[in-house]
Amino acid sequence: MTITVLTIVMILAAYFAGSISSAVLVCKMRGLPDPRSQGSGNPGATNVLRIGGASSAALVLFFDMLKGAAPAYLAFRLGVDPIALGVIAIAACLGHIFPIFFSFKGGKGVATAFGAMAPIGPDLALCLMGSWIVIALVTRYSSFAAICTALLAPVYTWWLDDRFTIPVTMLSALIVIRHKDNIKRLIRGEESKVSRKKHSKIP
């Protein structure tokens, strides 16, 4: 990896962008409970789906993916090498996981990581979204779908554009590591399935 001033600036910018918690802000704008204190306590799209419904979850998903896609795409357009690109993408995910603006308490980083992978090409983005949707619909486990999709992502990347296999593998490893507790609950049969509930807004 070639370390330049541009790379360092992009890493910092990606981290700060990732630190903006879409789930907390969307819930606040819509008068919903703080996702860090409701449901699973995870400020991500799946938990917002549980406490606020599909439209709120879709907004969170879009902005969480954008946090990863924008820095990765900008770095790519500026000619950053693939390994540095992977580090920049990971910085965005670490911002989401440990947000400086929200007491370093964030989400799992799945949507942000998949967003960072998406600029590689629309075919990869479709493979990732398709895999997650199919697995989630069949199993009803969001975490299992995320883990499986993360494991498949390097394979898809190697097949579609092998230049980015290493950075995508780095992101996939981060996703799996962040789901270590979910993996334990899945093995014990204690993991919560995806449910869609609409709570009343806070007066």
Side-chain angles (χ1 to χ4, degrees), residues 31-33 51 198-203:
L32 298 168
I51 66 176
K198 185 71 175 73
H199 289 221
S200 299
K201 292 186 177 182
I202 296 175

Side-chain angles (χ1 to χ4, degrees), residues 19-82:
S19 291
I20 301 171
S21 180
S22 307
V24 173
L25 295 177
V26 167
C27 286
K28 187 171 293 186
M29 285 190 304
R30 294 201 158 195
L32 298 168
D34 190 320
R36 296 168 296 180
S37 61
Q38 296 285 321
S40 67
N42 180 53
T46 301
N47 196 34
V48 173
L49 176 65
R50 295 187 181 103
I51 66 176
S55 63
S56 296
L59 279 174
V60 173
L61 181 64
F62 172 77
F63 286 114
D64 279 353
M65 291 186 71
L66 184 63
K67 292 190 305 187
Y73 180 72
L74 180 59
F76 171 73
R77 296 296 298 176
L78 291 173
V80 173
D81 69 75

Side-chain angles (χ1 to χ4, degrees), residues 172-188:
S172 295
L174 179 62
I175 292 173
V176 174
I177 291 169
R178 281 292 291 168
H179 281 79
K180 62 182 186 301
D181 293 333
N182 302 84
I183 293 170
K184 292 176 183 177
R185 288 195 294 269
L186 284 165
I187 293 172
R188 295 195 300 262

